[in-house]
Structures are given as C-alpha cells and as structure tokens.
Amino acid sequence: DGGITQSPKYLFRKEGQNVTLSCEQNLNHDAMYWYRQDPGQGLRLIYYSQIVNDFQKGDIAEGYSVSREKKESFPLTVTSAQKNPTAFYLCASSLASGWGDEQFFGPGTRLTVL
Amino acid sequence: QQQVKQSPQSLIVQKGGISIINCAYENTAFDYFPWYQQFPGKGPALLIAIRPDVSEKKEGRFTISFNKSAKQFSLHIMDSQPGDSATYFCAPTGGYQKVTFGTGTKLQVIP
C-alpha cells in the first residue's frame, strides 16, 4: 500500500528533552511538509521540503528542526526550545514541488509534554 | 500574511439536509482551491478541489462553488449523513504561495 506513515502514534516527553517524530512516504513524492494542529484550530506549517537536501521554514519553525537526506523521509525534531510542544503533529507530502497540488497526510503523532 | 477566513466555526445539520461551508481568501495568485475532511484523531484527506477555470465542480453529494470576483469558494454537502460528521478545512494555495489552512468547520449531522 502506498502512503505516509508516522511514528510513534503517541509520544510523551519530559520538559527539557528533545524528541524526534518520524515520517516516511512511499509515494515517490518530491515535497514533504510538517504541520502542527492544536485543539479546535487549523493546521499551521512548521517546515517544508520541496526537494532532497533542501528545506524551508514555515510559519512556526521556532523550536523545531528537520532534515531531508532521503526522498522518502522527513523527520521532525521538537527541541527543548519549543515552549509549548503539546500538540497533534501531521506530516504530509505532495507530488509536485509547487504548492498547487493535493497534499496527502499521515495519521499523525500526538505529543504530550509531562 | 495570507488571510483565509472560514465560516461557520461549527454547524449542526439534520440528516438529509444541506451543509454549506464558506471560505474567503485575499491572495489573487491562488489557483488551487481544495476542501479537506478530517475525522477525530486522523489526518486530513482531500475531499474535493477546484481550479479557477470553472465555477462549480460536483462529486457525488459534494459540490464546490467558486466565485473568483468575490474571492470566495464554498463546500455544499447535499443529503448530509451522520458519516459526514467531521471537521472540514479549506486550504487555498498555488504557484509560489505557501498553503494557509482555514481554522476549520466542525460539522455534526444529527439523525
């Protein structure tokens, strides 16, 4: 089955710890994205990558970091600098490197800071 | 910053009724106008999308109406069913403009 996988589904973190969220796609898509969703709110763009070995900040990149070493993978690290990291994190991909195309979403990772 | 305004925030519709959700945008460079559907605890999925060369697109019970001059597009769900209960997001984008998601509309269809 083609699609996007995210792991883990649930993640608990102590304050001051860095954590890495995994995102893998086997759709052969060029572009990948990370979004944050807070309860009752829309999706906010954290980082995006339109090609391997390149990525750009989105609207709320502070306290987060990413890498894009392989086309299939786009991991997100939530650092201790992120003041309010508890949220639902969504990874997405799209075929085209531009913005005018359907985005395919993974099932999400729910991060809770204890 | 791009502005996308989605309304209403929440909507309760009787089974069999029509659900209407609206999205207003400011950026005239947008050329892709999708609606995404999200069930609780899941990632969103594309429901239906339209390009600006047509004013309406219908897929089953779902219709997008697009008004380019008013910079608005809407989602109409005909014969709404309890299984349509979800949160709906508009996310206009295109070209070199980063996507901006609307704040979402929580739809509840009651039997």
Side-chain angles (χ1 to χ4, degrees), chain A residues 9 33 35 37 40-43 45 48 57-59 88 90 98-108 110, chain B residues 1 9 31-32 36 38 41-46 51 87 89 93-104:
Chain A
K9 186 174 178 63
Y33 315 83
Y35 294 91
Q37 186 174 30
Q41 296 189 31
L43 283 65
L45 184 64
Y48 63 99
K57 294 181 179 180
D59 300 318
F88 189 48
L90 288 158
W99 288 98
D101 207 354
E102 176 184 359
Q103 294 195 12
F104 293 79
F105 285 84
R110 190 167 299 280
Chain B
Q1 180 148 359
Q9 187 174 355
D31 63 0
Y32 181 66
Y36 287 86
Q38 184 180 30
K42 307 293 185 183
L46 180 70
R51 301 280 181 184
T87 300
F89 296 96
T93 185
Y96 297 98
Q97 309 299 319
K98 289 185 293 185
V99 64
T100 299
F101 280 78
T103 52

Side-chain angles (χ1 to χ4, degrees), chain B residues 16-70:
Chain B
I18 301 173
S19 304
I20 302 174
I21 305 171
N22 301 298
C23 187
Y25 62 94
E26 294 184 355
N27 195 324
T28 56
F30 289 155
D31 63 0
Y32 181 66
F33 302 91
W35 286 98
Y36 287 86
Q37 179 188 55
Q38 184 180 30
F39 293 104
K42 307 293 185 183
L46 180 70
L47 181 64
I48 188 170
I50 198 168
R51 301 280 181 184
D53 52 339
V54 295
S55 60
E56 186 173 282
K57 181 177 180 180
K58 184 176 181 180
E59 291 183 355
R61 297 185 294 108
F62 303 94
T63 300
I64 288 185
S65 296
F66 177 66
N67 187 329
K68 187 174 182 178
S69 60

Side-chain angles (χ1 to χ4, degrees), chain A residues 2 9 11 14 23 25 37 50 52 60-62 87 90-91 95 100 104 106 108 113:
Chain A
K9 186 174 178 63
L11 185 57
K14 293 181 180 179
C23 177
Q25 55 100 357
Q37 186 174 30
Q50 295 176 314
V52 175
I60 56 165
E62 185 175 352
L90 288 158
C91 179
L95 179 62
F104 293 79
V113 174

